Amino acid sequence: MAQIGSQINKNESYLRREDFHKNLIRKINAVRETIKLGGGKSAIDKQHEKGKLTARERIEKLIDKDSTFLELNTFAAYDMYHEYGGAPSSGTIFGIGKIKGKNFVIVANDATVKAGAWFPITAKKNLRAQEISIENRLPIIYLVDSAGVFLPLQEDIFPDKEHFGRIFRNNAVMSSMGIPQISAIMGPCVAGGAYLPIMSDEALIVEGEGSVFLAGAHLVKAAIGEEIANEKLGGARVQSNISGVTDYIMKNDDECLLQIRNLVSKYGELTQAGFNREESVLPKYDSKEIYGLIPEDGAKPYDTYELLARIVDNSEIDEYKSGYGKSLITAYARIDGWAVGIVANQRNVVKTEKGEMQIGGVIYSDSADKATRFIMNCNQKKIPLVFLQDVTGFMVGSKAEHGGIIKDGAKMVNAVANSVVPKITIIIGNSYGAGNYAMCGKAYDPRFIYAYPNAKISVMGGAQASSVLLDIRLKQMEKSGKEFTQEQKEKLLSEIIQSYEETSNPLHAAARLWVDEIIDPALTREYISYSIECANNNPHIPRFNPGVIQT
């Protein structure tokens, strides 16, 4: 393997970039800490006064001590639902944690946020949790404490394919696939939401706090005139000893969590995918130097090899077709011991063997052709793929079109779409247009997708988009007989750029679940390694069939 050398000069420019990225991380972490308070301190205090733990406290007690909980979709619903007072983390927490040494997907309703009610994005987040469970064959645990659907938005959560009901459909599918599901009813569990715990393999219920019924006391009275208290209608003793709906009665949250740990401790060992792993070796260079590598301005170039040197084991790669299609780097490597195939955008301007200059971050025909073959090779060899996205799109213009850029781009997209090995995507910087697709954006089923705090996700760059949008607005005004002064044009352009920048930033993307989490660049290795560890839990790798790829 070839070791990547480093030419970093820790000059003023490097230090300025380092400060820029550290400041972004501080801002993201500040938002994260606020989100973790859920409905706020007073709501947390009320939970404690009832003798109940908060959702995060429950997860902390459930997972193994000294282990790490990989929280995902933390920023779901960020800066959304203002008219309803917001919904921090969409009122649901989910991620992956170890219990008795095994990985589990854990989903917990946060009752401090609107009593754990489900917003539209909450349903999407729960479906993502189930998707991760299904794709990686990870057992799943639901800690249920929810008032059910947030009724003012019921039409956006109830009837469609990716709405509330899909969750129960997934319960059934997961059961048929043999994926263990455990539910703990630790608070209200009402109406359609009652199906989730009861369609799980085993259900626990906390006495005095947990309740489960299709209709609560108020609705029962309205519907059939019967007067009955919730506890007698669907409390722990009723549902465990009379109806037989639930399986275990627990005295309190602590006992309930301990019982879950006892249950999962009996699980047998399953066959794994068998992805190749050797002893981990740290990179030759400090991962924290990534902060000083990536420019503050996403339009500026940098050498992606320098980035790889701080991510891969011993800073070594086996580069595939190193002299061809230089705007993409394709290489075999190890990350924390795991064998991986890396597809990364080269952000430097590069010179081809023909003497032509290729713009960094742009995918050319030869690059797309190379990546297609490399992706197919990784699928043949059962090697997980890691996509490092910093892409502004495919090359445009007459020369590119005449050279068949659409055909070559389609080949790459085809290979990514039909890839059967796990794909882990990290958005390092830009993620524009069809480049997002070719480099395995969310629509192409990455097992996990992360973003750096400087990431930008949009159809095109802000400068190009604002120019197009300004031109459209001006032509619309001209048709109505109005004219703009130069000052008005500049003001309008500034407003368009600001709006575009706001909707392309990573918090906007994370709020809508376009990415699973915004991560610290210095922890890239750890996120990739844990993602592959989870993916390795699924032994079922279908035979790769790339479909029709035009030559």
Side-chain angles (χ1 to χ4, degrees):
M1 298 183 80
Q3 195 167 84
I4 307 169
S6 179
Q7 304 295 323
I8 276 188
N9 180 3
K10 295 189 177 181
N11 53 20
E12 185 180 341
S13 178
Y14 172 93
L15 296 173
R16 188 167 56 249
R17 291 194 294 267
E18 183 181 49
D19 285 344
F20 174 79
H21 288 285
K22 284 183 176 179
N23 193 43
L24 283 182
I25 293 165
R26 280 193 292 269
K27 289 178 180 178
I28 291 292
N29 286 340
V31 173
R32 195 192 309 272
E33 290 307 309
T34 301
I35 286 171
K36 285 184 176 181
L37 291 173
K41 191 175 182 306
S42 60
I44 292 171
D45 289 341
K46 286 179 182 177
Q47 189 92 336
H48 289 161
E49 286 166 11
K50 295 177 183 177
K52 298 171 66 175
L53 298 171
T54 66
R56 292 185 185 281
E57 289 167 343
R58 288 167 178 168
I59 292 170
E60 188 178 350
K61 288 201 171 191
L62 179 61
I63 63 174
D64 295 343
K65 289 181 179 178
D66 302 321
S67 67
T68 302
F69 180 62
L70 175 65
E71 185 169 352
L72 300 171
N73 296 159
T74 308
F75 303 97
Y78 175 75
D79 204 28
M80 296 170 65
Y81 307 121
H82 294 293
E83 63 272 40
Y84 304 108
S89 211
S90 78
T92 297
I93 298 154
F94 107 84
I96 301 168
K98 279 187 166 56
I99 306 174
K100 299 294 183 178
K102 293 184 174 69
N103 287 312
F104 286 78
V105 174
I106 303 169
V107 185
N109 299 119
D110 186 351
T112 70
V113 179
K114 303 291 188 298
W118 289 55
F119 287 76
I121 204 74
T122 315
K124 187 175 180 181
K125 182 170 177 176
N126 277 261
L127 288 170
R128 178 59 178 152
Q130 290 181 321
E131 183 178 49
I132 286 175
S133 174
I134 290 168
E135 288 181 338
N136 301 289
R137 296 299 193 274
L138 292 173
I140 188 166
I141 295 170
Y142 308 97
L143 305 180
V144 186
D145 192 347
S146 172
V149 169
F150 188 66
L151 290 177
L153 296 173
Q154 65 86 24
E155 66 176 291
D156 296 320
I157 189 175
F158 169 62
D160 211 343
K161 183 177 179 179
E162 291 189 346
H163 285 177
F164 200 50
R166 186 75 172 184
I167 292 163
F168 318 133
R169 174 264 185 195
N170 286 352
N171 287 138
V173 169
M174 291 162 74
S175 181
S176 72
M177 294 171 69
I179 298 172
Q181 300 175 81
I182 292 179
S183 284
I185 302 167
M186 309 177 88
C189 189
V190 187
Y195 284 107
L196 185 147
I198 309 312
M199 293 186 74
S200 299
D201 301 301
E202 293 182 281
L204 304 85
I205 186 166
V206 177
E207 191 171 12
E209 290 297 339
S211 57
V212 55
F213 30 63
L214 291 182
H218 182 77
L219 185 56
V220 166
K221 183 178 179 181
I224 63 173
E226 181 184 0
E227 293 192 24
I228 187 170
N230 279 336
E231 187 66 23
K232 290 187 176 181
L233 180 66
R237 296 209 167 271
V238 170
Q239 296 293 26
S240 295
N241 299 342
I242 297 175
S243 70
V245 166
T246 52
D247 307 309
Y248 307 90
I249 300 176
M250 299 290 107
K251 293 177 183 176
N252 51 44
D253 283 6
D254 286 294
E255 185 180 75
C256 185
L257 298 170
L258 181 61
Q259 179 67 6
I260 294 173
R261 288 182 57 82
N262 288 337
L263 291 172
V264 305
S265 70
K266 316 299 192 296
Y267 285 13
E269 297 295 331
L270 299 175
T271 305
Q272 295 190 320
F275 300 125
N276 187 283
R277 192 179 197 186
E278 293 182 355
E279 187 177 346
S280 178
V281 181
L282 289 173
K284 289 291 184 184
Y285 310 99
D286 190 345
S287 294
K288 289 184 178 179
E289 290 177 346
I290 294 173
Y291 302 145
L293 284 174
I294 302 172
E296 311 96 294
D297 183 351
K300 291 182 178 178
Y302 63 91
D303 191 351
T304 304
Y305 288 102
E306 294 278 10
L307 178 69
L308 294 178
R310 286 151 182 85
I311 294 175
V312 302
D313 286 14
N314 205 35
S315 303
E316 290 181 332
I317 60 173
D318 282 321
E319 189 168 3
Y320 176 78
K321 290 184 181 289
S322 61
Y324 179 72
K326 291 185 176 182
S327 74
L328 274 178
I329 299 169
T330 50
Y332 302 105
R334 290 190 182 276
I335 296 177
D336 195 25
W338 294 104
V340 297
I342 296 173
V343 182
N345 300 108
Q346 170 57 294
R347 283 306 316 273
N348 251 347
V349 176
V350 294
K351 189 175 182 180
T352 69
E353 295 299 318
K354 296 179 182 179
E356 300 170 335
M357 302 305 290
Q358 292 189 343
I359 302 167
V362 176
I363 302 176
Y364 291 76
S365 280
D366 54 357
S367 305
D369 180 68
K370 175 175 77 170
T372 301
R373 182 68 257 178
F374 181 73
I375 290 165
M376 294 168 74
N377 287 350
C378 288
N379 274 271
Q380 283 183 331
K381 300 169 185 176
K382 204 164 80 169
I383 300 174
L385 283 159
V386 174
F387 290 85
L388 301 178
Q389 276 199 27
D390 194 343
V391 58
T392 53
F394 285 93
M395 190 57 189
V396 297
S398 59
K399 186 174 181 180
E401 297 292 356
H402 297 170
I405 186 65
I406 295 176
K407 177 186 69 175
D408 292 320
K411 287 193 293 186
M412 183 176 174
V413 169
N414 191 327
V416 172
N418 286 299
S419 178
V420 295
V421 294
K423 297 169 288 191
I424 293 107
T425 300
I426 300 183
I427 302 173
I428 305 296
N430 304 310
S431 181
Y432 296 156
N436 171 281
Y437 305 155
M439 292 295 291
C440 197
K442 186 68 182 290
Y444 286 77
D445 296 324
R447 292 286 181 95
F448 298 91
I449 179 168
Y450 307 109
Y452 283 2
N454 59 297
K456 292 186 181 298
I457 305 170
S458 56
V459 172
M460 63 181 78
Q464 298 92 326
S466 55
S467 177
V468 173
L469 291 169
L470 177 64
D471 188 51
I472 292 170
R473 290 283 295 276
L474 291 176
K475 285 179 179 177
Q476 287 173 339
M477 299 306 290
E478 286 173 4
K479 285 181 180 179
S480 62
K482 295 182 180 179
E483 289 188 8
F484 275 93
T485 65
Q486 186 60 34
E487 185 179 343
Q488 288 173 321
K489 288 179 183 178
E490 289 175 1
K491 183 183 177 184
L492 181 57
L493 180 61
S494 176
E495 290 171 355
I496 291 171
I497 291 174
Q498 183 180 349
S499 173
Y500 202 83
E501 290 295 317
E502 287 173 358
T503 56
S504 63
N505 74 52
L507 278 171
H508 185 87
R512 289 153 182 79
L513 277 56
W514 302 346
V515 296
D516 288 322
E517 195 68 13
I518 302 172
I519 68 170
D520 183 338
L523 299 177
T524 302
R525 280 172 54 85
E526 287 81 353
Y527 274 91
I528 293 173
S529 176
Y530 197 17
S531 297
I532 298 175
E533 180 186 322
C534 292
N536 194 43
N537 201 66
N538 182 1
H540 305 292
I541 306 294
R543 186 173 181 274
F544 177 60
N545 183 350
V548 177
I549 293 182
Q550 284 191 328
T551 57

